[in-house]
Amino acid sequence: AQSVAQPEDQVNVAEGNPLTVKCTYSVSGNPYLFWYVQYPNRGLQFLLKYITGDNLVKGSYGFEAEFNKSQTSFHLKKPSALVSDSALYFCAVRALTNTGFQKLVFGTGTRLLVSP
Amino acid sequence: DVKVTQSSRYLVKRTGEKVFLECVQDMDHENMFWYRQDPGLGLRLIYFSYDVKMKEKGDIPEGYSVSREKKERFSLILESASTNQTSMYLCASILDLNQPQHFGDGTRLSIL
């Protein structure tokens, strides 16, 4: 089955501390992975993607993600959290529909709360 | 910069009504998508379209239909609205399926 798991509903971190938002995936073939962020009353904004190449991917707003094939994980990280990073984060993997078209499968989302 | 515009931010309708949600993109993208977002369930794909007049069912198409008469516009239709269709609806577009999707700001739909 093609799926994405985000095991934590919420992650709490103090400003200035490193943060990690976890994501694991299940898909056949080589995975194409994405992270998106959603601020209140807004649509999703793209943060970063992994297609191929280096396992450490750098994205927008100082975020990065580490691809680990053996653990089928794609965790989102940031060395020093900001209060403005507080938002809802979604991991997604490219998958195939029953008719062979490509689509994105999203995780359930993780709410990040950064306290001052 | 790509802009995806959803015509309504908030919408309140009654059960049994036919409801239209509109989405317009300004970058000549071929692929467009409709999702619904519910707490604890993430985003679920309702329908998508890969060209004008072409459509494919997503994971939860029941109770919905779509229309794509022009490349820039993708409409989601609730044939007979029900309370379990109360949700946030998000539209997205993309040119190349290896690239990230561009999302509109969503329509929060309440069915009373």
Side-chain angles (χ1 to χ4, degrees):
Chain A
Q2 305 166 115
S3 64
V4 172
Q6 293 182 243
E8 302 153 317
D9 290 336
Q10 182 162 312
V11 169
N12 298 304
V13 65
E15 188 173 33
N17 284 357
L19 69 88
T20 298
V21 182
K22 295 179 181 178
C23 171
T24 58
Y25 65 90
S26 173
V27 67
S28 56
N30 292 323
Y32 284 30
L33 296 153
F34 301 82
W35 274 102
Y36 288 84
V37 60
Q38 185 180 35
Y39 297 102
N41 299 315
R42 300 298 301 277
L44 275 66
Q45 296 178 29
F46 168 73
L47 278 180
L48 50 80
K49 67 178 179 181
Y50 173 83
I51 304 293
T52 186
D54 288 341
N55 290 342
L56 187 63
V57 179
K58 294 191 183 297
S60 307
Y61 312 121
F63 283 94
E64 57 191 27
E66 186 170 11
F67 171 68
N68 187 316
K69 188 172 184 177
S70 62
Q71 296 185 4
T72 61
S73 67
F74 189 55
H75 300 331
L76 182 70
K77 300 175 186 253
K78 188 173 183 181
S80 179
L82 299 172
V83 172
S84 56
D85 293 330
S86 298
L88 188 55
Y89 290 81
F90 289 97
C91 181
V93 66
R94 199 182 71 177
L96 288 178
T97 67
N98 293 336
T99 49
F101 288 95
Q102 293 178 2
K103 66 175 183 178
L104 283 184
V105 173
F106 286 84
T108 51
T110 298
R111 188 164 300 282
L112 174 65
L113 186 58
V114 182
S115 55
Chain B
D1 207 15
V2 178
K3 189 161 181 62
V4 178
T5 303
Q6 294 183 231
S7 55
S8 303
R9 294 298 302 276
Y10 301 94
L11 209 52
V12 180
K13 297 291 182 180
R14 297 208 173 274
T15 55
E17 281 192 68
K18 191 169 186 176
V19 181
F20 293 84
L21 303 184
E22 307 286 345
C23 175
V24 176
Q25 49 95 3
D26 66 354
M27 285 301 290
D28 206 35
H29 285 174
E30 293 181 343
N31 302 280
M32 296 187 74
F33 305 82
W34 275 107
Y35 297 90
R36 64 177 282 177
Q37 179 182 3
D38 300 289
L41 296 177
L43 275 72
R44 293 179 291 167
L45 181 63
I46 305 172
Y47 265 97
F48 65 99
S49 169
Y50 52 91
D51 204 349
V52 175
K53 297 189 186 294
M54 307 302 285
K55 60 185 179 184
E56 284 285 325
K57 292 180 180 179
D59 299 316
I60 52 164
E62 296 79 17
Y64 303 94
S65 63
V66 290
S67 171
R68 192 155 182 214
E69 296 296 318
K70 294 185 177 182
K71 197 172 190 178
E72 67 270 19
R73 185 180 298 271
F74 191 35
S75 302
L76 179 69
I77 304 159
L78 285 66
E79 297 290 345
S80 178
S82 64
T83 54
N84 63 11
Q85 293 178 308
T86 291
S87 186
M88 169 72 97
Y89 289 87
L90 292 167
C91 174
S93 77
I94 191 170
L95 177 63
D96 175 350
L97 287 167
N98 289 332
Q99 299 303 316
Q101 295 186 7
H102 299 269
F103 284 83
D105 282 338
T107 295
R108 190 166 294 281
L109 175 65
S110 295
I111 307 296
L112 305 179

